[in-house]
Every structure is written in structure tokens, then in C-alpha cells.
Amino acid sequence: MGGFLQVLTFVAALGCGVAAGVFFAFSAFVMRGLDRLPAEGAVGAMQGINAAAPAPAFMVVLFGTGLACGALVFRSFFVWGGPSAVYLLVGGSLYLICAIGLTVFYHVPRNEALGRVEPGGAGAEGRWSDYMAGWTAWNHLRFAGALVASASLVMALVLSVR
Amino acid sequence: MIDNYYPGRHKVSRASTNIASRKTSGPGLLLSFVRAFLLGGATLTTGLVAGVFYAYSVSVDPGLAAQSDASYVATMQEINVRIQNPLFFASFFGAVLFPLAALVVHLPALRSGRFLLISLACLLYIGGGFLLTALVNVPMNDQLATVDPGAPARVLSQAREAYEGPWDFWNGVRTVFSTLSFAALVGACLRAPA
């Protein structure tokens, strides 16, 4: 079980790091790039991006890592008092709250609302700037949470082999 | 986790053994701090860059595939301008400099598994992430930047034809190499420092 838990932690640490990089891309430049387009282009491009996101290649990483993190949080209570437990709990919870929680309860509903906006229609510009501001601000938190989660899980691994 | 391997061992006694075994002199402590800092920085920056490339592969590239030629060209141009900012450069160049610096401070442990894994990570990212980007993706971006998004349809369609397929392919390649480099660095963290 120890070996299995370590493999799971390793995989989750990689998943958190890659997910952090995905959120980082949107926080650092993708949204800013779209924002420089006319509203019609920005809304159209973001609708395309949101339509592509549910493909298995991304879902496996995002939610597969979520499942692994859930298992690590659960498992952390069984190794409580051991050197890695706190890092497993913190890393797993941070990813679940920031990456999964925000995605499901904040970003996806707003993506769905944006999907109903007519890119060239009246009001697209106002809808885009509202969407862009809130979406990006909360995306910074997805990025930070996933990055700290990855670091925390790596720390759990380091302490488990020391 | 280690508790599973040594179930009979008492927690307090293990903690005190750890402290005793880690007790090092001033310069030794500084070296182990610098090693941990550089290897940690290498791991996080490489993970971020791998994720950025992965974001193109699973999100941006397929998301823009259905856009018109004019919209595709304009969007990629804006993204290619905006990616040139201090935050992204800190990770993109950090993923070269941190692993190289980590390699240097581990030179005394030339035969360790950790040194081997950091070397592997440097090769994978510098070759398959950094140089590939500099020699393939960036020149393609520069070429695309010369296209006027208001140009006639035939010109836009040719520009996109020359860019989208090869760019997406090479982005997939650099995603794989950077992710492997990231995995090697996490592996290096798990190996003893010397």
C-alpha cells in the first residue's frame, strides 16, 4: 500500500503541476490576447476554446487528478502523524477546492452563459468584458491553488522517502 | 507513508533520528538549502511550461480550429504578442536556468541518481521544449505576424495552411518532452541529494 500511495502521489503531483500550467497559460497571456480582439472575435474564439475543453485529453488530467487528490486526502487520515500526512491533506484539498471547485461552480456556468451570446450581436462587448474580468481573476486562484498543491504533494513524496 | 514500511517504529524516536542524521555544519546546511531551492524552482517552472504547452494542445489549438481564417490569424497573432511578458518568460527561461543551476550544485554528487535525473531533465527540456520552441515555433510565429488579418481570403487561407498544422504538431512534441522533463525532476526530488 505504501508503494501504491507513493505512485498515486507522484501521478497527482504531475497532474496538479500540468493543470497549474494550463491555468497559468490563460492567466498569463491567452485571455489578454483575446481581449485585444474585437468583441466578436474574442467571444467566438473563447466559445471555440470552451467547446474544445471537455475533450477526453483534458478531462482525464483535470478530473483524474481530482480523483487522485480525493483519494490522497482520504488516505492522509490513515497515515496521520506520519511526516507526509499534512502535505497530502493540504495538497489534495487545495487542488479539489481551487481547481475542481472553482471550475465546476464558477467557470463552467459562466462558459455556458457565454456560449449563448451571439458573437456579432448587440451587447456582445459588454458581456465579453464582464466575463473576461471575473473569469480571469478567479482563474488566478485556480492557477495558484494547483501550483501550491503540486509543490505540497512533491513535499509529501520527499518526506516519505527520507 | 514511511510508517507503512516501519510500522513498529515509534514516531518520536524516528523524528529524533532524522534530526540527528540531518545535523550538518553551516556551509553544508547552506548547500542543502541551495540544492533544495534550485531543484524545487526547476520542478515548478518546468511543470508550468509543460502545462502551458499542454493548454495549447488540448484547449487553444482545437478551440480555434473552427474559426474563420481571418479570426484564426488575428487570434494567434494577439496570443503570440501577449505571451511575451515577464511572467511567462520567468517560467520559460526559468525552466532552463533552474535545472542547469541545480545540475551545477549537484556536481559533487556526480554518480547519484538525482544528478542523473536532473541531467536527463535538462536534455529533455532544453532540446525538446526550449530549442524546439526557439527554432520552430517562434520563427513560425514571426512569419504569421507579417500577415495582415485584413488581407484577401486567399492570402489568409495560405498563411493559415502553412502555420496551423505544423505548429500544432510541434507543440504536441514539445508538450511530451517538457512533461517528461517535469516527471524526471519530480523523480530527482525523491532521490537522496548525494
Side-chain angles (χ1 to χ4, degrees):
Chain A
M1 187 59 199
F4 175 72
L5 186 59
Q6 283 180 321
V7 171
L8 193 66
T9 309
F10 184 84
V11 171
L14 291 186
C16 289
V18 170
V22 171
F23 300 140
F24 178 64
F26 283 88
S27 274
F29 62 89
V30 174
M31 295 307 275
R32 291 191 224 177
L34 296 185
D35 199 39
R36 279 166 50 109
L37 296 167
E40 180 176 359
V43 171
M46 196 65 198
Q47 285 177 342
I49 287 172
N50 289 336
F58 183 50
M59 290 299 103
V60 165
V61 170
L62 186 70
F63 289 104
T65 302
L67 274 179
C69 283
L72 292 179
V73 168
F74 180 70
R75 189 66 192 148
S76 72
F77 297 107
F78 292 86
V79 294
W80 200 253
S84 307
V86 173
Y87 292 95
L88 290 178
L89 178 66
V90 169
S93 316
L94 263 181
Y95 184 84
L96 287 175
I97 294 166
C98 295
I100 301 294
L102 279 174
T103 298
V104 170
F105 295 110
Y106 183 88
H107 291 90
V108 167
R110 271 145 195 89
N111 292 346
E112 284 170 354
L114 187 78
R116 293 188 289 271
V117 174
E118 183 62 46
E125 195 156 343
R127 296 288 296 274
W128 166 255
S129 54
D130 286 351
Y131 171 87
M132 147 87 194
W135 197 101
T136 309
W138 287 103
N139 188 63
H140 296 335
L141 192 58
R142 288 202 290 187
F143 154 61
L147 185 66
V148 176
S150 180
S152 185
L153 294 181
V154 171
M155 197 63 201
L157 280 170
V158 169
L159 293 175
S160 79
V161 295
R162 183 168 275 180
Chain B
M1 280 180 250
I2 201 164
D3 298 7
N4 292 321
Y5 296 116
Y6 306 103
R9 206 164 182 188
H10 193 273
K11 219 164 54 192
V12 176
S13 74
R14 193 192 60 240
S16 59
T17 329
N18 264 354
I19 289 161
S21 66
R22 268 188 273 153
K23 195 177 280 178
T24 30
S25 58
L29 196 69
L30 181 67
L31 178 63
S32 48
F33 174 78
V34 169
R35 280 176 169 173
F37 171 76
L38 292 174
L39 184 55
T43 308
L44 293 184
T45 50
T46 306
L48 281 184
V49 179
V52 166
F53 296 158
Y54 181 69
Y56 280 109
S57 292
V58 297
S59 177
V60 177
D61 292 348
L64 299 183
Q67 298 289 303
S68 69
D69 293 339
S71 173
Y72 176 84
V73 169
T75 307
M76 282 312 286
Q77 284 179 340
E78 292 298 351
I79 289 176
N80 291 339
V81 170
R82 285 291 159 169
I83 196 170
Q84 297 171 50
N85 70 69
L87 265 179
F88 176 70
F89 283 154
S91 56
F92 183 64
F93 295 108
V96 174
L97 299 177
F98 272 115
L100 283 179
L103 201 61
V104 170
V105 295
H106 283 88
L107 272 175
L110 205 56
R111 288 165 185 275
S112 67
R114 186 187 264 199
F115 185 86
L116 201 72
L117 282 168
I118 300 174
S119 315
L120 179 67
C122 285
L123 281 177
L124 287 167
Y125 179 76
I126 293 175
F130 183 78
L131 286 178
L132 181 59
T133 300
L135 300 177
V136 178
N137 297 79
V138 170
M140 292 181 75
N141 294 347
D142 292 342
Q143 183 66 39
L144 189 74
T146 64
V147 178
D148 175 5
R154 192 180 46 82
V155 175
L156 290 175
S157 136
Q158 275 175 358
R160 181 184 193 166
E161 183 79 16
Y163 182 86
E164 191 175 20
W167 197 96
D168 291 2
F169 172 78
W170 290 110
N171 180 65
V173 174
R174 66 184 182 170
T175 304
V176 171
F177 277 104
S178 325
T179 306
L180 289 175
S181 177
F182 178 39
L185 287 168
V186 175
C189 290
L190 308 187
R191 297 307 185 98

